[in-house]
Amino acid sequence: MTPFPAAPPFALRARLLSPVTDGTTLDVMDGLIEVDQRGRIATVGAWPGAEAPASVIDLRPMVVMPGLVDLHVHLPQIPNAGLGSGLDLLTWLDRYIFPLERAYDRSVAELQAPSAFRAFAAAGTTTVVAYAALWEDSTDAAFAAAEEHGIRAIIGKVMMDRITYDTDIARNEILERSLRQSDDLASRWHGRDDGRLRYAFTPRFAVSCTAEMLRESAALAAHHGAYWQTHLSEDAGEITEVRRHFPDARDYLDVYDHAGALGARTILAHAIHLSDREVARLVDSGSSVAHCPASNLFLSSGMMPLGAYRAAGIPVGLGSDVAGGPELSLFSVMRAGAVTQRVLELSGRADPSNATRPSDWIRLASLEGARALGMDGEIGSLEVGKEADLIAVDPRLTTPLPGDDPRLDADDVFSRLIFRPHPNMVRGAWVRARLLAGPPSFDGIG
Ligand code: GUN
Ligand code: ZN
């Protein structure tokens, strides 16, 4: 077995598939991608024949693509994946999730986070935007695991000063302590390893946070130049609770707007049930939406009108939202998203002439996810000068019978990855051209 290259510089021969910043899709059937000493993409193009560099690793018939960006996941919830389908959000949180998060102390995080990051790499995800639990020490342990593993990670300690599972502390001390601990974590981790690790201030959602918590966390995020993430308009019961707690707000988004929390470094998960005013305000503010269709089906939350949001100009990427979503793989999330859009089209609530194609789903999971993070100049596509966050995928595993048709066009290859995914089809994943630890199938070509 030929081992995959572990570190830069290296050159790979493979089929190259990628969204491109100009809106097109790169498809080079027999391609060469070279990464330089610093882990940046130096060349992308057709196999140059006699001009090829002396040392090349031949991955054919594998496909090299950009690594995927998961904009929304909950690390402590991963062991619950697949449990509790069909419950409404607030019951599910209470029954399944809060007990699990409460138990996510440093020792649990030290045990689970390294396997979680290996599992993300195995699913083709090279950037994760994650919620930890309420605890500073286990958030710190999750960062340390990401630092060691090599994945690109944006993580935050969850903040809750209204409905909370932090019952060992006096109510009036929660706010101050949560702000101080989040501030300390951001000072320690935001920007670590040249920006591979970043901090996201993470008030859970308006149901569990006071106006003061929302406002002060947004001020701290601005102070650090860090991200601010929360949930928005996911479920009917949640929306009713927000109206009850914030009777003066115009709508759900207005609660966050009032806190000064909207902007280009803000990531809002779900955002399913929005008014036209909220859509317009999201666009104006430059805030991003983490679309989590697998979760939205699993918890019966609703169907986000993706086409309308994109036409309005909201930056949208994809999130697994495990454990709201049952699977870590963004390819599964794309399939759930495609099914959701098909149902909306069939019921006359989306325009079929704007249907989201397989290459659009891959773009959402890579370049658009990077754009939502303001990182589309650095990652998200196979373009010269970008950091080499790559995956190698074996499309042979996605065919119904042995034997592949190498003439499939890019949309058809992507269609198979989305609609017929195989658990081992991602064979390698690199961040800045450093091979990430994953399952044994990552060991090489053979
Ligand atoms: N809203 C507030 N907390 C959560 C959570 O943990 N998961 C989901 N899906 N929605 C939430
Ligand atoms: Zn979530």
Side-chain angles (χ1 to χ4, degrees), residues 304-312 341 354 356:
M304 196 193 88
L306 174 67
Y309 288 6
R310 296 194 76 207
Q341 293 314 307
N354 279 338
T356 312

Side-chain angles (χ1 to χ4, degrees), residues 315-333:
V316 180
L318 298 182
S320 64
D321 189 32
V322 168
E327 292 183 74
L328 291 180
S329 167
L330 283 179
F331 292 102
S332 305
V333 172

Side-chain angles (χ1 to χ4, degrees), residues 178-198:
S178 188
L179 291 167
R180 179 171 38 79
Q181 291 182 338
S182 302
D183 191 15
D184 288 349
L185 283 163
S187 301
R188 215 169 310 145
W189 291 105
H190 185 59
R192 185 81 77 101
D193 192 17
D194 257 337
R196 178 168 65 83
L197 303 174
R198 301 181 186 201

Side-chain angles (χ1 to χ4, degrees), residues 261-389:
L262 303 186
R265 291 199 200 89
T266 293
I267 306 146
L268 301 164
H270 306 295
I272 302 171
H273 312 283
L274 299 184
S275 65
D276 291 349
R277 194 206 78 82
E278 288 172 297
V279 170
R281 181 64 193 124
L282 272 181
V283 174
D284 271 359
S285 70
S287 311
S288 297
V289 164
H291 177 35
C292 308
S295 165
N296 301 155
L297 295 179
F298 191 78
L299 291 177
S300 303
S301 306
M303 295 185 284
M304 196 193 88
L306 174 67
Y309 288 6
R310 296 194 76 207
I314 299 177
V316 180
L318 298 182
S320 64
D321 189 32
V322 168
E327 292 183 74
L328 291 180
S329 167
L330 283 179
F331 292 102
S332 305
V333 172
M334 294 180 223
R335 176 164 57 174
V339 169
T340 302
Q341 293 314 307
R342 200 58 43 82
V343 172
L344 287 172
E345 289 157 18
L346 289 170
S347 54
R349 287 178 285 165
D351 178 0
S353 66
N354 279 338
T356 312
R357 298 160 58 86
S359 52
D360 298 323
W361 286 110
I362 297 290
R363 175 177 287 268
L364 283 168
S366 52
L367 191 52
E368 292 301 317
R371 189 160 77 91
L373 299 173
M375 295 177 71
D376 47 325
E378 296 150 65
I379 57 169
S381 58
L382 307 184
E383 292 182 271
V384 170
K386 286 197 175 181
E387 304 198 12
D389 288 17

